[in-house]
């Protein structure tokens, strides 16, 4: 029996956040409804979340978001959704590199292909365990936490639960950092940038505090994330600043040549600062004319990189007096990133 169990395949599940099926208003509405119904994303009471979603967000936001999606849908030779396109390319490259060592499935936390579909495929393949790799470098309950919770829920269904081995956040992994630096170096050299902005997805302060814990010392000021320690190791903001410092060191940027910002804030509740759009408007007054932006909270180019930074961010920077903004591509399916995903997967699979 032990020999039979050892002969069973193992699985690798790569999960990204999600994307609508197409850029129509209807598809975007369906996606937003699923995404924003998650209590780890909008952490209000069930009634408060329902009212906000159905009376404030869904009547208006899908049309605006669909317009933004249409600007990047299929652009630059990408087929359909950039996030799904690049995620599939990554999964295919990882599967080729593993050469049958692991059964590789790609899923989206929201939308398709779904985690449920991936779990069904693993069961059909008869895998004995699954290594789960959430494709979010820094930990947040609304991304990593939600993905892990959903995967555990689905893995437990059926007569025999599927054992999961979760890859922890890789924000400080040398392979991840080296891969992003490798992508960035030629772009920065070609852009002639005099400053680099590391932009991360934003989060409400209350969510960061809740995950970081009571002893994290979160103050959200200029100094509270100056170093990563045991106290703030689970703080999204501290992890983001750590990623930025490590990338800056690899790229040879001293403290005066890079900044950090947090993008995509929504609503009136306090979100972690500094805000990316504010930083973009302030940098030209500090003498920055040629700016490069890296978004190391995403491993695949998507709406938040291509449209929010590559289009709207460019407009904000130029309106404030900047001359040129270069968006550094994400990791996508870069060979160095593929190699790091393979390493992370093997370490988790055992």
């Amino acid at each position: 029996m032990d020999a039979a169990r050892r002969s069973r395949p193992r699985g690798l599940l790569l999960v990204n956040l999600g994307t609508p099926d197409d850029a129509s208003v209807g598809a975007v509405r369906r996606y937003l409804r699923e995404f924003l119904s998650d209590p780890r994303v909008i952490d209000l009471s069930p009634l408060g979340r329902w009212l906000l979603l159905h009376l404030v967000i869904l009547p208006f936001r899908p049309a605006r978001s669909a317009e933004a999606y249409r600007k990047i849908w299929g652009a630059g030779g990408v087929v359909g959704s950039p996030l799904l396109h690049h995620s599939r390319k990554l999964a295919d490259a990882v599967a080729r590199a593993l050469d049958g060592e692991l059964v590789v499935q790609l899923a989206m936390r929201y939308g398709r292909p779904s985690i449920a579909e991936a779990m069904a495929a693993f069961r059909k393949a008869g895998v004995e365990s699954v290594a789960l790799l959430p494709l979010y470098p820094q930990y947040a309950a609304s991304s990593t936490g939600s993905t892990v919770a959903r995967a555990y829920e689905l893995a437990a269904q059926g007569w025999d639960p599927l054992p999961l081995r979760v890859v922890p956040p890789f924000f400080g992994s040398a392979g991840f950092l080296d891969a992003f630096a490798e992508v960035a170096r030629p772009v920065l050299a070609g852009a002639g940038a005099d400053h680099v902005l590391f932009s991360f997805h934003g989060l409400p302060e209350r969510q960061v505090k809740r995950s970081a814990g009571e002893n994290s010392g979160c103050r959200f000021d200029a100094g509270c994330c100056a170093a990563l320690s045991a106290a703030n190791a689970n703080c999204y903001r501290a992890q983001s600043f750590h990623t930025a410092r490590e990338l800056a060191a690899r790229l040879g940027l001293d403290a005066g040549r890079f900044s950090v910002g947090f993008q995509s804030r929504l609503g009136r509740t306090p979100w972690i600062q500094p805000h990316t759009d504010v930083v973009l408007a302030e940098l030209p007054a500090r003498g920055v004319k040629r700016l490069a932006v890296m978004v190391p909270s995403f491993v695949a180019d998507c709406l938040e990189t291509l449209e929010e930074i590559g289009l709207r961010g460019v407009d904000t920077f130029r309106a404030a007096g900047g001359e040129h903004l270069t968006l550094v591509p994400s990791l996508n399916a870069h060979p160095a990133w593929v190699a790091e995903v393979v390493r992370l997967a093997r370490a988790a699979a055992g």
Side-chain angles (χ1 to χ4, degrees), residues 93-107:
V94 168
R96 287 194 298 272
L98 288 168
D99 192 25
E101 182 180 341
L102 299 173
V103 177
V104 180
Q105 292 288 331
L106 170 70

Side-chain angles (χ1 to χ4, degrees), residues 105-118:
Q105 292 288 331
L106 170 70
M108 297 288 138
R109 173 60 185 91
Y110 313 101
R112 298 184 299 177
S114 68
I115 299 177
E117 291 168 332

Side-chain angles (χ1 to χ4, degrees), residues 228-245:
L228 194 67
S229 66
N232 65 7
N234 208 41
C235 171
Y236 175 85
R237 188 173 185 270
Q239 292 178 3
S240 298
F241 271 94
H242 180 80
T243 298
R245 288 190 298 267

Side-chain angles (χ1 to χ4, degrees), residues 81-84 86 298-306 327-332:
S81 161
L83 177 68
L84 183 55
H86 293 302
F298 297 97
V299 298
D301 278 315
C302 55
L303 186 73
E304 287 81 359
T305 64
L306 300 173
L327 172 64
V328 176
S330 194
L331 293 170
N332 296 324

Side-chain angles (χ1 to χ4, degrees), residues 213-236:
E214 295 180 358
N215 298 321
S216 65
C218 287
R219 302 185 309 273
F220 304 112
D221 58 22
C224 80
C225 294
L228 194 67
S229 66
N232 65 7
N234 208 41
C235 171
Y236 175 85

Side-chain angles (χ1 to χ4, degrees), residues 160-247:
D160 296 310
L162 272 174
L164 292 182
R165 299 176 179 180
V166 181
V167 178
F170 47 87
F171 65 94
S173 160
F176 161 70
L177 295 164
D178 290 344
F180 234 127
E182 187 172 334
V183 170
R185 282 191 192 96
V187 179
L188 297 182
D194 46 32
H195 198 86
V196 176
L197 171 62
F198 297 103
S199 183
F200 298 82
H201 199 283
L203 286 175
E205 289 183 0
R206 67 176 183 274
Q207 292 188 5
V208 175
K209 283 184 177 180
R210 188 173 180 179
S211 291
E214 295 180 358
N215 298 321
S216 65
C218 287
R219 302 185 309 273
F220 304 112
D221 58 22
C224 80
C225 294
L228 194 67
S229 66
N232 65 7
N234 208 41
C235 171
Y236 175 85
R237 188 173 185 270
Q239 292 178 3
S240 298
F241 271 94
H242 180 80
T243 298
R245 288 190 298 267
E246 290 293 317
L247 285 173

